[in-house]
C-alpha cells in the first residue's frame, strides 16, 4: 500500500528512493531504513527483489564485439573508401620474417593510395589520360624504343654539350658551303650563257609591251625528252598507239 | 574529427544497442550501417548547443530501431507480465517460448550460456521497456539523457526501467524454475 509505514518509511517514499538505492547513491542511514522496509513490506519487498534481480541480469550481459568488417563496410557505404587501420594489427600478429615486415610496411604506406586508385572514377580518369598521352605520342612520332636514359653526370653533361655544339657548327658550315657552291654555279652559268640571258630579257620586254589582249600562245613543254623524240599518245578505247612526231617550238 | 574516426569510435556502441534491441547479429549489422549512413548525410545538421553528440547519435539510432520495428512487426504481440494473460499465453507461457525445445532441460542449461538466455528474454520485453533498460543498464546513460532520447518525461523513463527490470527477472525466474 502506498500509504503504509514500515520501519519509519512509507511505501511511496520507498518507491521514490528505489532508484537511488539501486544506483548505490543512498546515504548509509537511509540505505538501512530502505532495506528494513523492503524486508518487512509485503508489496515493496518482492518488487525490489525483482527489480534488483532484473538489473543484475542486465548488468551481466557483456558488451558484444562488432563484426570485423563493419567499419570497412560503413566507410565503403558512406565515402567509398575502405579503412586499413583495422587490418594492420591483424597482419602484425603473423609477421615472422624481415621480408614480410617490409611488405607490411609498404602495404601500410601505399594502402591509402591504393584505396583511392582502386576507385572506378580514378581508374576511368587514369585510363583516359593514358589513352590521350599514347595517342599524342604516336601522332608526334615518338617511339618508346627511341628513348634512352640520359647521362646526368658532370662529365656526361659536358660531353653532351660539346658534341651538340660541334654538330650544330658542322651543320652550319655544311649549309654555308652548299650555298657558296650554288652561288658560284649560278655565276658561272651567267657568264657562260650571256645570249640566253639577253633573249630572256627581250622576251620579258615584249610581254610587257603586248597590249593586244590576246592570250599568250600555249607552249607545250616536255622537259624529259629531246626535241625530235616521238610522243606516244594512247586512249582507253583505242589500244593502238599512235605515233606523233612533235617538234619543240620556240616562240 | 574525421569521419573514419567517428566510425571507429562509435560503431561498437551503436552495434550493441542495435544487437540488444533487434536480437540478431545480422539485423544489428544492417541497422548499424543504416545509422551511420544516415548520420553521414545529416552530420552537418548536428548542433553542438542542442545537446551532446552521443545523445544525438543515440536518438538517431533509436528512431531507426523504431522504424525497423514497425517495418518488421516483430514482437508486435509482446507478452507483458502486467497485461492480462490471453488464451495463447495460457497455452504457451513466455518461459517456454524462449526455451530451446530441441534439447532436454538439463542439456539446455548446460549448453546455453546465461548471456544468451538473458538476451533472448530481453527480446520478449515490449519495445518501450526494452529500449529503456538497454539505454540504462547496458549503455549506462543517465535518466535525463534517456528522457531526451525517448522524448518522454524522466518519471516515465524510471517507471519503464523499473517495469522492464522486474519483467525480465520474472521471465528468467520462470525459465530457471522450470529447468531446475
Amino acid at each position: 500500500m502506498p500509504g503504509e509505514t514500515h520501519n519509519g518509511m512509507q511505501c511511496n517514499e520507498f518507491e521514490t528512493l528505489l532508484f537511488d538505492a539501486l544506483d548505490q547513491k543512498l546515504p548509509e542511514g537511509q540505505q538501512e531504513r530502505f532495506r528494513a522496509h523492503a524486508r518487512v513490506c509485503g508489496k515493496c519487498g518482492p518488487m525490489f527483489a525483482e527489480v534488483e534481480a532484473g538489473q543484475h541480469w542486465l548488468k551481466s550481459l557483456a558488451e558484444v564485439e562488432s563484426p570485423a568488417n563493419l567499419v570497412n563496410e560503413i566507410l565503403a557505404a558512406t565515402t567509398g573508401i575502405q579503412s586499413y587501420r583495422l587490418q594492420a594489427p591483424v597482419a602484425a600478429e603473423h609477421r615472422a620474417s624481415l621480408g614480410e615486415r617490409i611488405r607490411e610496411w609498404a602495404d601500410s604506406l601505399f594502402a591509402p593510395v591504393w584505396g583511392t586508385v582502386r576507385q572506378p572514377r580514378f581508374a576511368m580518369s587514369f585510363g583516359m589520360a593514358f589513352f590521350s598521352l599514347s595517342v599524342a605520342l604516336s601522332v608526334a612520332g615518338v617511339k618508346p624504343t627511341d628513348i634512352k636514359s640520359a647521362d646526368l653526370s658532370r662529365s656526361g653533361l659536358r660531353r653532351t654539350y660539346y658534341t651538340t655544339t660541334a654538330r650544330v657548327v658542322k651543320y652550319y658550315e655544311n649549309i654555308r658551303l652548299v650555298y657558296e657552291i650554288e652561288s658560284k654555279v649560278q655565276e658561272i652559268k651567267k657568264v657562260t650563257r650571256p645570249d640566253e640571258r639577253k633573249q630572256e630579257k627581250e622576251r620579258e620586254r615584249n610581254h610587257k609591251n603586248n597590249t593586244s589582249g590576246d592570250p599568250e600562245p600555249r607552249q607545250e613543254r616536255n622537259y624529259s625528252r629531246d626535241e625530235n623524240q616521238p610522243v606516244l599518245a594512247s586512249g582507253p578505247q583505242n589500244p593502238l598507239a599512235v605515233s606523233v612526231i612533235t617538234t619543240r617550238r620556240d616562240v | 574529427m574525421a569521419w573514419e574516426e567517428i566510425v571507429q569510435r562509435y560503431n561498437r556502441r551503436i552495434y550493441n544497442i542495435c544487437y540488444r534491441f533487434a536480437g540478431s547479429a545480422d539485423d544489428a549489422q544492417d541497422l548499424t550501417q543504416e545509422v551511420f549512413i544516415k548520420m553521414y548525410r545529416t552530420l552537418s545538421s548536428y548542433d553542438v548547443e542542442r545537446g551532446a553528440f552521443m545523445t544525438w547519435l543515440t536518438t538517431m539510432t533509436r528512431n531507426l530501431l523504431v522504424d525497423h520495428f514497425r517495418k518488421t512487426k516483430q514482437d508486435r504481440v509482446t507478452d507483458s507480465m502486467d497485461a492480462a494473460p490471453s488464451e495463447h499465453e495460457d497455452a504457451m507461457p513466455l518461459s517456454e517460448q524462449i526455451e530451446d525445445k530441441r534439447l532436454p532441460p538439463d542439456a539446455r542449461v548446460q549448453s546455453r550460456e546465461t548471456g544468451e538466455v538473458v538476451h533472448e528474454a530481453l527480446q520478449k520485453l515490449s519495445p518501450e521497456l526494452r529500449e529503456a533498460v538497454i539505454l540504462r543498464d547496458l549503455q549506462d546513460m543517465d535518466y535525463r539523457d534517456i528522457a531526451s532520447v525517448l522524448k518522454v518525461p524522466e518519471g516515465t523513463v524510471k517507471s519503464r526501467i523499473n517495469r522492464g527490470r522486474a519483467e525480465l527477472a520474472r521471465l528468467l525466474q520462470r525459465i530457471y524454475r522450470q529447468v531446475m
Side-chain angles (χ1 to χ4, degrees):
Chain A
M1 303 288 171
E4 258 183 74
T5 306
H6 297 283
N7 288 28
M9 183 180 280
Q10 287 194 331
C11 290
N12 52 8
E13 189 188 353
F14 181 89
E15 281 180 19
T16 310
L17 296 175
L18 179 63
F19 277 91
D20 284 343
L22 289 167
D23 296 339
Q24 310 290 330
K25 286 179 181 172
L26 282 183
E28 192 66 34
Q30 213 165 11
Q31 184 78 24
E32 279 302 313
R33 280 177 59 229
F34 183 86
R35 293 273 173 192
H37 180 89
R39 276 194 298 270
V40 178
C41 183
K43 182 183 174 286
C44 299
M47 185 266 285
F48 177 68
E50 276 182 350
V51 173
E52 197 177 30
Q55 186 192 32
H56 171 74
W57 286 118
L58 285 162
K59 293 279 182 193
S60 73
L61 284 176
E63 197 176 45
V64 292
E65 285 291 335
S66 54
N69 59 341
L70 182 61
V71 172
N72 279 334
E73 284 181 6
I74 291 168
L75 291 174
T78 51
T79 60
I81 299 168
Q82 292 200 330
S83 173
Y84 291 87
R85 280 192 199 175
L86 289 179
Q87 294 170 11
V90 176
E93 288 172 11
H94 303 290
R95 68 177 151 193
S97 65
L98 182 68
E100 280 183 3
R101 237 175 291 168
I102 291 168
R103 200 170 54 219
E104 280 169 21
W105 176 78
D107 283 349
S108 65
L109 197 68
F110 295 112
V113 180
W114 181 233
T116 312
V117 167
R118 278 171 55 184
Q119 286 189 58
R121 280 179 299 174
F122 185 88
M124 184 67 91
S125 308
F126 182 78
M128 288 303 294
F130 181 77
F131 177 72
S132 309
L133 189 67
S134 60
V135 166
L137 285 175
S138 63
V139 166
V142 178
K143 292 177 187 172
T145 49
D146 295 342
I147 299 167
K148 291 173 187 171
S149 57
D151 185 3
L152 296 174
S153 65
R154 184 184 279 184
S155 60
L157 287 171
R158 198 179 295 144
R159 198 182 313 119
T160 310
Y161 168 74
Y162 285 126
T163 313
T164 312
T165 310
R167 211 175 288 161
V168 170
V169 169
K170 193 177 173 186
Y171 178 76
Y172 173 75
E173 292 293 336
N174 286 345
I175 290 287
R176 203 175 69 172
L177 182 68
V178 168
Y179 279 128
E180 277 178 7
I181 290 169
E182 203 173 354
S183 62
K184 288 284 180 196
V185 168
Q186 293 280 347
E187 280 174 18
I188 291 166
K189 274 184 182 173
K190 282 177 189 172
V191 172
T192 52
R193 293 193 290 185
D195 297 342
E196 275 188 15
R197 182 77 185 154
K198 207 178 283 176
Q199 280 175 359
E200 236 173 66
K201 279 183 181 176
E202 219 168 276
R203 209 179 303 138
E204 278 177 14
R205 207 178 302 133
N206 288 340
H207 179 68
K208 281 178 187 172
N209 294 336
N210 184 10
T211 54
S212 63
D214 294 335
E216 202 175 345
R218 196 172 173 184
Q219 214 174 30
E220 286 185 9
R221 291 177 187 272
N222 188 352
Y223 294 102
S224 61
R225 290 182 173 85
D226 294 333
E227 289 184 352
N228 295 324
Q229 194 176 353
V231 175
L232 298 176
S234 62
Q237 271 93 27
N238 186 9
L240 296 170
V242 178
S243 72
V244 178
I245 298 170
T246 59
T247 50
R248 186 174 174 177
R249 291 173 298 174
D250 288 331
V251 180
Chain B
M1 195 190 294
W3 171 244
E4 189 178 341
E5 213 176 322
I6 292 173
V7 177
Q8 297 272 11
R9 186 179 289 187
Y10 295 108
N11 80 87
R12 195 173 166 183
R13 187 185 167 98
I14 302 302
Y15 177 79
N16 268 271
I17 294 174
C18 294
Y19 175 66
R20 293 303 180 194
F21 189 88
S24 91
D26 289 341
D27 284 348
Q29 191 167 350
D30 293 346
L31 287 163
T32 308
Q33 274 197 53
E34 273 185 51
V35 169
F36 278 97
I37 289 168
K38 191 176 179 187
M39 183 173 35
Y40 186 73
R41 288 176 186 156
T42 57
L43 198 59
S44 57
S45 68
Y46 166 64
D47 186 5
V48 184
E49 291 175 0
R50 281 176 60 190
F53 182 75
M54 196 57 233
T55 310
W56 179 73
L57 183 54
T58 311
T59 307
M60 192 183 290
T61 308
R62 188 256 174 181
N63 292 342
L64 268 172
L65 287 172
V66 170
D67 290 346
H68 172 74
F69 179 78
R70 283 178 187 153
K71 274 182 210 162
T72 55
K73 306 236 181 237
Q74 77 169 37
D75 287 349
R76 180 56 84 186
V77 185
T78 48
D79 298 296
S80 173
M81 300 299 281
D82 298 333
S86 65
E87 285 181 16
H88 178 72
E89 282 169 342
D90 287 335
M92 183 177 279
L94 282 175
S95 53
E96 286 178 22
Q97 288 177 35
I98 61 174
E99 282 172 11
D100 191 345
K101 298 276 189 309
R102 290 168 299 183
L103 298 169
D106 292 347
R108 275 204 299 271
V109 175
Q110 289 168 0
S111 65
R112 297 175 74 181
E113 295 287 328
T114 310
E116 286 177 28
V117 177
V118 177
H119 180 70
E120 283 191 33
L122 186 61
Q123 306 311 307
K124 297 297 169 189
L125 297 183
S126 69
E128 289 81 14
L129 304 188
R130 202 188 318 160
E131 64 187 3
V133 294
I134 287 171
L135 295 182
R136 176 62 195 160
D137 291 329
L138 302 182
Q139 298 300 319
D140 284 324
M141 287 179 76
D142 60 37
Y143 301 112
R144 196 191 301 166
D145 287 345
I146 296 172
S148 168
V149 169
L150 302 183
K151 298 179 186 71
V152 291
E154 219 173 300
T156 310
V157 168
K158 286 184 175 178
S159 167
R160 285 181 185 178
I161 292 169
N162 232 357
R163 285 166 53 208
R165 285 169 177 170
E167 200 167 307
L168 186 80
R170 270 174 268 170
L171 272 168
L172 291 165
Q173 277 167 12
R174 280 190 192 184
I175 294 166
Y176 283 101
R177 208 179 297 143
Q178 284 188 0
V179 295
M180 287 302 187

